[in-house]
Amino acid sequence: MKALVLFSGGLDSTTCLALAVDKYGADEVLALSISYGQKHTKELEAAQRVAEYYHVKLQTLDLALIFADSDCSLLQGSTADIPKTSYAEQLSETDGKPVSTYVPFRNGLFLSSAASVALSHSCEVIYYGAHSDDAAGNAYPDCSSAFNDAMNTAIYLGSGNQLRIEAPFVSKTKADVVAEGMKLGAPYHLTWSCYEGGEKPCGLCGTCRDRAAAFAANHIADPAL
Amino acid sequence: MKALVLFSGGLDSTTCLALAVDKYGADEVLALSISYGQKHTKELEAAQRVAEYYHVKLQTLDLALIFADSDCSLLQGSTADIPKTSYAEQLSETDGKPVSTYVPFRNGLFLSSAASVALSHSCEVIYYGAHSDDAAGNAYPDCSSAFNDAMNTAIYLGSGNQLRIEAPFVSKTKADVVAEGMKLGAPYHLTWSCYEGGEKPCGLCGTCRDRAAAFAANHIADPAL
């Protein structure tokens, strides 16, 4: 294998998968999907569908026990509700801290797990779909460009210079991600983003709002709706 | 809790635990011990003994599945033997790569897991016992000072500036670690280092050799023998 894609079944990582398959071919790409006790396990079903669409091997990991003591509102163990406002509104009430759906160091843990798995398969690159909208205002500090640079250095050095991160959208917006994915024909109709595990996307949580805005900015309808 | 100690039950992390307990008090320290499919599960029993000695809470995690596809000689799934030579001798045959007992990005994964757990308990610091002997010649690149700096930056930024790494020995030798531990009265008689899971330490693997040399440099007998 050449590339591992950290893969949630959402819009950003599906676009990463499209890029990796385009560059390396499906046989050289491994998708890694991580269960972590999230309320929206529906994204894992979406990951399965998208991986099948691209004929790439999908590996799954369950890391939920690591977050057993977290009170993050995104997790099944939490009694807190997922906020129904935009990230900007949420940040006005967090006193400089991340939003309540920030899962403690989740992306660092995911990238590190991806590095361990990638090295076991001799991959030379990890694709990671963080983008600048999620990092804005430090809503998700583990999506920022500075965080990504540090993790990339850690993974490159800590692997004995064998592995690096490719984060193609880290300085781009979610609207840019959609534009890129449309060019590549990414199967957005198979993806899932909403934080709630309902029958249909709620349309109100932070990620539903961001997804809708990204499609609107590209003047196209969300094919998953 | 104030501090999380990444804790294997070996000599280096026991010295870290001694430092953290000395600074914060046992009630404010959480020890995290990780099972990862290592052949020497005896170190986990040692971790239990040392945690009891210090009356600190010990949390355990099992991350073995992440390394399911690795051929690292330290792991139970590998048929390769653990080398019976010094790291310097091993490195002369690896063509610039890490030694065969390097577990792919293990310390990055452990630090990231520690970060997720630490944030769930409101800890502000992670103690990590890497030292310069293990990093020499890139035997274990995830023990180097440069790797640690990058991980520390990633954890500080990725946590929204809430958490940092304290790696007190990253520029010191294992002999320095022993000298520090002896001052603190660390219970080295309860620790386990050998990579083999035998009744007694083999005395020949890389870590047995390093441990013996560290005690010899301090002109004291290893209290675990």
Side-chain angles (χ1 to χ4, degrees), chain A residues 162-205:
Chain A
Q162 298 184 84
L163 184 65
R164 65 183 174 81
I165 299 174
E166 180 82 24
F169 312 128
V170 77
S171 302
K172 298 188 173 180
T173 66
K174 201 173 182 88
D176 296 331
V177 175
V178 168
E180 181 74 30
M182 294 308 291
K183 268 193 273 177
L184 292 161
Y188 289 147
H189 60 290
L190 302 175
T191 63
W192 181 267
S193 297
C194 176
Y195 283 158
E196 303 281 358
E199 195 64 29
K200 291 185 173 183
C202 74
L204 294 172
C205 69

Side-chain angles (χ1 to χ4, degrees), chain A residues 59 61 66-67 69-70 102 104-105 108-109 112-113 115-117 119-121 141-142 146-147 150-151 153-155 157-160, chain B residues 59 61 66-67 69-70 102 104-105 108-109 112-113 115-117 119-121 141-142 146-147 150-151 153-155 157-160:
Chain A
Q59 185 163 338
L61 276 180
I66 294 179
F67 300 111
D69 295 319
S70 170
Y102 165 79
F105 206 61
L109 175 66
S112 295
S113 304
S116 293
V117 173
L119 288 167
S120 302
H121 290 274
D142 52 352
F147 163 76
M151 276 307 298
T153 303
I155 286 177
L157 295 177
S159 67
Chain B
Q59 186 163 338
L61 277 179
I66 294 179
F67 301 110
D69 294 320
S70 170
Y102 164 78
F105 206 61
L109 176 66
S112 295
S113 305
S116 293
V117 173
L119 288 167
S120 300
H121 290 274
D142 53 352
F147 163 76
M151 276 306 298
T153 302
I155 286 177
L157 295 177
S159 67

Side-chain angles (χ1 to χ4, degrees), chain A residues 73-88:
Chain A
S73 68
L74 201 66
L75 301 173
Q76 290 166 27
S78 168
T79 54
D81 288 334
I82 293 169
K84 297 291 188 191
T85 51
S86 71
Y87 292 134

